[in-house]
Amino acid sequence: MSELQKKIVIVGGTSAIAEYCARFWVANATVDLTLVGRDIAKMERVAADLQVRSPQSRIRVISINFNDPKLISQTVESIQSGGRIDIALIAHGSLPDQIICQQDLVANYEALTINGISPVLFAEAFASRMQADNHGQLGIIGSVAGDRGRKSNYVYGSAKGLVEKYAQGLQHRLASSKVQVTLIKPGPTDTPMTAHLRQQGGKLARVEDVSKAVTAGIESGKAVVYAPGKWALIMLIVRNLPNAIFNKMDI
């Protein structure tokens, strides 16, 4: 691999935000890019598009079960064995129906697992290997929903709250190393996952803008990135609302 190349891994490579991040990265450099996901056919379509955009880049796809700790460890180890990783982005997840999660504990469990436990297992796997190399930038996509539990999405929010606390712990652990951990907190973004919000008239950020904030935040080594940036102020207010006021809000 050329010294000019970066070795990048994207977990959840078929998500809209991840796909646009990949487009930014291949547009700016010749890269060694690995997409990790569950839907192999969709990943291959994404990879083919990226290859056209950057013919000199090396693009691979890996399909695994995101909820299997052993497979997660083996996959990250296999990728790392080909050379140290420069950037890893953990971007997978789903937006569950809160009411269904309240009524069905299986759905609740699955939502908590794919949005919380699975991302932190990937984070641990990448962080351990990056720490051994004393090199790398790890980006983890959380959500503004993790800043304070709200009745409209507290199952999803609690999973993202777990991701946030885990990322904080990794940042503390790796503070004396050259490994950088960035937690990204997108607000509602116009992706297939939020199509129902768009139909309900919700104001959604452009996925291109959010993805630019993600890539810029990771490469600058910021600890926390709100995307778009306005959500930093919005969530500061939400986090600090007194319960007497907060509990009267329909959010």
Side-chain angles (χ1 to χ4, degrees):
M1 186 173 68
S2 166
E3 291 183 357
L4 297 178
Q5 292 178 313
K6 288 184 176 180
K7 183 166 185 171
I8 301 173
V9 184
I10 301 178
V11 180
T14 60
S15 79
I17 292 175
E19 183 176 354
Y20 274 87
C21 287
R23 290 181 184 180
F24 290 135
W25 277 318
V26 301
N28 292 321
T30 300
V31 301
D32 180 333
L33 174 63
T34 301
L35 303 177
V36 182
R38 292 173 289 182
D39 187 335
I40 188 67
K42 188 173 181 181
M43 276 197 298
E44 288 177 343
R45 290 194 294 271
V46 172
D49 174 75
L50 294 171
Q51 196 72 75
V52 170
R53 294 170 185 270
S54 182
Q56 301 305 314
S57 292
R58 181 183 181 188
I59 301 172
R60 294 168 291 178
V61 299
I62 298 175
S63 176
I64 71 166
N65 178 351
F66 280 180
N67 297 333
D68 187 324
K70 290 184 179 179
L71 277 179
I72 291 172
S73 180
Q74 291 168 2
T75 299
V76 174
E77 184 175 350
S78 175
I79 295 170
Q80 191 266 352
S81 67
R84 67 184 190 178
I85 298 166
D86 296 301
I87 298 173
L89 172 62
I90 302 171
H92 64 291
S94 65
L95 187 61
D97 185 296
Q98 173 64 33
I99 300 301
I100 291 176
C101 288
Q102 292 170 202
Q103 298 170 344
D104 182 349
L105 290 186
V106 173
N108 195 316
Y109 170 82
E110 291 174 348
L112 291 170
T113 301
I114 196 62
N115 291 299
I117 295 174
S118 178
V120 303
L121 292 177
F122 273 105
E124 188 63 47
F126 281 115
S128 295
R129 286 153 182 80
M130 287 180 169
Q131 185 175 29
D133 291 333
N134 199 30
H135 173 85
Q137 294 169 300
L138 175 59
I140 310 170
I141 294 186
S143 171
V144 297
D147 278 21
R148 186 168 187 176
R150 293 175 290 121
K151 64 181 181 181
S152 61
N153 67 353
Y154 64 83
V155 172
Y156 177 74
S158 61
K160 292 307 182 182
L162 167 62
V163 171
E164 176 173 10
K165 294 305 180 186
Y166 209 92
Q168 289 173 352
L170 285 180
Q171 289 167 345
H172 191 204
R173 166 185 157 193
L174 299 169
S176 61
S177 76
K178 293 183 179 179
V179 180
Q180 298 174 328
V181 179
T182 299
L183 174 65
I184 302 104
K185 297 183 179 184
T189 305
D190 192 0
T191 68
M193 191 172 79
T194 58
H196 64 290
L197 298 179
R198 183 172 61 251
Q199 293 169 358
Q200 294 168 6
K203 297 185 68 174
L204 307 176
R206 293 188 342 130
V207 66
E208 297 93 329
D209 296 335
V210 170
S211 300
K212 285 180 181 178
V214 171
T215 55
I218 293 172
E219 297 196 5
S220 69
K222 290 183 177 180
V224 179
V225 175
Y226 283 88
K230 68 179 182 180
W231 283 97
L233 177 58
I234 294 172
M235 297 315 297
L236 176 64
I237 295 170
V238 171
R239 287 195 308 270
N240 288 284
L241 283 172
N243 285 337
I245 296 174
F246 182 74
N247 288 338
K248 293 179 181 179
M249 300 176 71
D250 188 20
I251 60 174

